[in-house]
Amino acid sequence: MAPSFLFLPLFALLVISPAFGSDPSQLQDFCVADNSSQVFVNGFVCKNPNVVTVNDFFFSGLDKAGNTNNKLGSSVTAVAVNNLPGLNTLGISLARLDFAPGGLVPPHYHPRATEILVVLEGTLYVGFVASTNNQLFTKVLNKGDVFVFPQGLIHFQYNQGWTNAVALSGLSSQNPGVVFVANAVFGANPPISHDVLAKAFQLDKKTIDWLQAQFTAAN
C-alpha cells in the first residue's frame, strides 16, 4: 500500500480544485484591463494603476433597448471586460436581453460562466439541457422571476408573450464567451464535412448543404 503521505497532495488538490473552476481571483485591489497591450496572457494585462481612472469602472447604456429588428427578434447588450475594463480578474459580467414578441436567443452555451437571469418586463419561456440523459428543464418566467443556467449547458430564452420582454443576466466570468449551437455546427469556418453532419443528424447531404448555406451567410 502506498504511504499515506502520498494521498495528502491529491486530497489537497481535490479540495482546492473547485476554486479554479472559474476566473482566477485578483491578487490586488483591481487589475484594470489594458486592452492596448500586445502581451498574451490568460485574461488581460493590468493597466498601470497610476493611469487608471474612474471611467475604467463605468459603463453607460443599459437603460436603452437593444435593436430587435432582426431574424431572431432579440438583442443582447453585453457588459464584459472588453467594454468595462475594470471587470478584469473580478469574475463577473452582465448582459441586457431584449425581445420582440416571438423573439428568441437561440440554443447556446457559455463555456466559462454560469448565468443567472431576472425578467424585468414581459414573459419568457426558458430552459436548459442537462448532460445526463439530455434532460430538459424548462420554466415560464414572468416579471421578477429568476432562473439559473449552469455553466457549459445548452440553454435558450424565448418570448412567448404578445409584448416586448426585457431581462438582465449576470454571468460568473469577466469573459463568459458564447457558442450558438446551430451557428457553430452549420456555420463553422472552414465548414464541417457534410458527410460528418449528414451522418450525425441523420439527414441527406442536400439538406446539410442548405443548412450550411443559411448559417454561413448568417455568420
Side-chain angles (χ1 to χ4, degrees), residues 2 4-5 21 31 41 57 66 68 70 84-85 109 111 118 120 122 139 143 145 148 152 158 173 178 191 193-194 201:
S4 60
F5 69 82
C31 172
V41 297
F57 304 95
T68 59
N70 53 63
L84 182 53
Y109 65 91
V118 57
L120 302 181
K139 189 75 174 176
K143 183 177 180 179
D145 290 343
V148 65
Y158 173 64
S173 172
V178 60
S193 165
H194 60 193
F201 288 92

Side-chain angles (χ1 to χ4, degrees), residues 111-124:
R112 296 179 291 275
T114 290
E115 176 181 356
I116 185 167
L117 175 146
V118 57
V119 177
L120 302 181
E121 297 291 343
T123 300
L124 292 177

Side-chain angles (χ1 to χ4, degrees), residues 63-147:
D63 59 316
K64 299 177 177 62
N67 182 11
T68 59
N69 186 23
N70 53 63
K71 289 183 178 180
L72 294 173
S74 67
S75 176
V76 177
T77 305
V79 183
V81 68
N82 61 311
N83 56 5
L84 182 53
L87 287 174
N88 194 36
T89 75
L90 299 183
I92 56 171
S93 57
L94 189 69
R96 171 177 171 148
L97 286 65
D98 287 280
F99 302 82
L104 171 72
V105 176
H108 64 284
Y109 65 91
H110 304 290
R112 296 179 291 275
T114 290
E115 176 181 356
I116 185 167
L117 175 146
V118 57
V119 177
L120 302 181
E121 297 291 343
T123 300
L124 292 177
Y125 171 66
V126 305
F128 68 86
V129 180
S131 62
T132 305
N133 300 322
N134 294 323
Q135 185 175 1
L136 175 64
F137 295 86
T138 64
K139 189 75 174 176
V140 174
L141 305 180
N142 297 300
K143 183 177 180 179
D145 290 343
V146 177
F147 197 83

Side-chain angles (χ1 to χ4, degrees), residues 10 25-26 32 42 46 49 81 105 117 133 162 171 188 193:
L10 177 60
S25 298
Q26 67 271 20
V32 172
N42 184 24
C46 300
V81 68
V105 176
L117 175 146
N133 300 322
W162 297 100
L171 298 112
S193 165

